[in-house]
């Protein structure tokens, strides 16, 4: 696929410009108004999307879901407790953390590596392979650190809520000079030193955070980034036109693309690049990668062509996990 730099120039409306033409920038006040209008449209579309859960319940919007789930003193704790219970019962192995779909490990790592290569090629990720530092959020047994991040960065820290899974990562990688710290902490409570990372990588973990906790997590991540750093998100994403789905086995939510983008905007993050996992079983929920940075850093959004995805209403599975969605 072409690198991010190989894309047509676009005018203010987003239409492609003919070769040799230069897009005229709108006046500052007009540009500001257009940007605000675009944001409000993304937020409005995201709020209008309904969804359901694997028990058959329906929700008119994601706000209605959170209003029901988080009400009362024990609502939020109860939401997280289901996920904690689920992970306490999973094997500390690649097959266990991938919900019985160990065959997806190789394609997942290969596509993630390609994503980082695209970011370096475009100039959005300025540290060379083997340099800089990364944080692996929701690291589990260290699958992504071992297969990807410790080869791509000079230093990697891991954060994981489940001590049993994290202990497996420690036993496998302790003594590796590229792996620095192992921290057991839930992401909604994570506090780490400011300006310490070139990349914060969060994969198959943000689906456990309600929207308000997810926004707060991103706010903390912004403070933890070095100048020019990126937040990379890789999650199950329902293609636009579909509906969000909550898996009651572990209280995880597969959001739509627009719902994620609305959360990014709320957190003051700018989308730099996005790419859909192309090598992925058609019966699983599609997986998408996003590269983000704070809005005060200028950037141009680039998007790689999406892969063929599961049709709306088709039987699909999340994260590679246990419960069928559909």
């Amino acid at each position: 696929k072409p690198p991010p730099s190989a894309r047509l120039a676009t005018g203010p409306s987003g239409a492609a410009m003919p070769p040799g033409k230069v897009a005229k920038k709108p006046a500052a006040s007009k540009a500001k108004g257009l940007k605000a209008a675009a944001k409000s449209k993304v937020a409005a579309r995201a709020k209008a999307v309904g969804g359901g859960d694997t028990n058959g319940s329906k929700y008119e919007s994601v706000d209605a879901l959170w209003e029901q789930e988080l009400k009362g003193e024990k609502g939020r704790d109860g939401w997280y407790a289901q996920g904690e219970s689920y992970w306490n019962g999973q094997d500390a192995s690649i097959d266990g953390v991938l919900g019985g779909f160990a065959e997806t490990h190789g394609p997942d790592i290969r596509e993630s590596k390609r994503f980082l290569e695209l970011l370096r090629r475009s100039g959005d990720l300025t540290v060379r392979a083997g340099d800089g530092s990364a944080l692996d959020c929701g690291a589990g047994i260290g699958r992504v650190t071992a297969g990807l991040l410790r080869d791509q960065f000079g230093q990697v820290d891991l954060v994981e809520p489940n001590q049993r899974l994290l202990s497996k990562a420690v036993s496998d990688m302790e003594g590796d000079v590229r792996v620095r710290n192992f921290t057991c902490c839930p992401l909604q409570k994570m506090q780490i030193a400011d300006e310490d990372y070139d990349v914060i990588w969060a994969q198959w973990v943000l689906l456990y955070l309600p929207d308000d906790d997810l926004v707060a997590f991103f706010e903390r991540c912004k403070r933890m980034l070095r100048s020019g750093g990126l937040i990379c998100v890789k999650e199950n994403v329902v293609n636009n036109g579909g509906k969000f789905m909550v898996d009651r086995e572990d209280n995880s939510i597969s959001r739509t693309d627009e719902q994620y983008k609305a959360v990014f905007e709320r957190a003051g993050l700018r989308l730099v690049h996005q790419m859909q996992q192309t090598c992925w079983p058609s019966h699983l929920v599609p997986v998408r990668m996003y590269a983000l940075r704070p809005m005060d850093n200028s950037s141009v959004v680039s998007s790689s062509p999406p892969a063929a995805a599961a049709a709306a209403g088709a039987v699909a599975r999340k994260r590679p996990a246990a419960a069928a969605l559909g």
Side-chain angles (χ1 to χ4, degrees), residues 148-266:
L148 175 73
L149 298 179
R150 66 178 175 179
D151 294 325
Q152 294 291 316
F153 299 93
Q155 295 285 332
V156 184
D157 291 342
L158 290 76
V159 175
E160 163 58 37
N162 186 289
Q163 183 62 65
R164 183 175 55 86
L165 298 180
L166 187 63
S167 294
K168 173 64 173 172
V170 173
S171 67
D172 287 349
M173 292 185 285
E174 193 173 30
D176 188 329
V177 296
R178 298 167 295 179
V179 183
R180 186 170 53 181
N181 298 313
F182 301 83
T183 302
C184 186
C185 179
L187 294 196
Q188 66 271 23
K189 298 179 180 179
M190 183 182 72
Q191 296 290 345
I192 293 180
D194 292 353
E195 299 183 10
D196 205 28
Y197 299 105
D198 297 289
V199 165
I200 297 174
W201 187 276
Q203 177 170 351
W204 289 327
V205 66
L206 304 185
L207 70 176
Y208 293 106
L209 299 182
D211 285 4
D212 57 351
D213 281 347
L214 183 51
V215 170
F217 166 76
F218 282 137
E219 292 284 358
R220 292 193 297 275
C221 286
K222 289 193 298 182
R223 297 194 295 270
M224 292 154 53
L225 285 176
R226 290 174 178 165
S227 178
L230 294 170
I231 301 169
C232 291
V233 170
K234 187 169 186 178
E235 291 286 350
N236 298 103
V237 179
V238 178
N239 287 329
N240 289 333
K243 298 180 180 295
F244 71 82
M245 178 60 70
V246 176
D247 186 344
R248 289 300 178 184
E249 184 177 26
D250 61 353
N251 271 5
S252 60
I253 177 171
S254 294
R255 294 175 170 93
T256 68
D257 178 58
E258 285 188 336
Q259 285 172 335
Y260 267 114
K261 289 175 179 175
V263 170
F264 300 156
E265 288 183 351
R266 284 176 58 189

Side-chain angles (χ1 to χ4, degrees), residues 68-120:
Q68 175 176 313
E69 291 297 321
L70 306 180
K71 65 183 177 183
E73 295 182 1
K74 297 183 179 180
R76 194 176 301 270
D77 289 342
W79 171 266
Y80 284 118
Q82 185 65 26
E84 293 168 5
S85 175
Y86 173 84
W87 284 109
N88 283 335
Q90 303 308 302
D91 289 341
S93 65
I94 287 180
D95 193 60
V97 298
L98 293 179
F101 294 94
E103 67 275 11
T104 63
H105 169 69
D108 166 58
I109 295 297
R110 286 195 299 271
E111 295 263 324
S112 295
K113 181 181 179 182
R114 187 164 73 93
F115 189 57
L116 290 175
E117 290 171 347
L118 283 171
L119 293 172
R120 286 193 170 101

Side-chain angles (χ1 to χ4, degrees), residues 8-18 23:
L8 289 174
T10 58
S13 66
M17 299 289 291

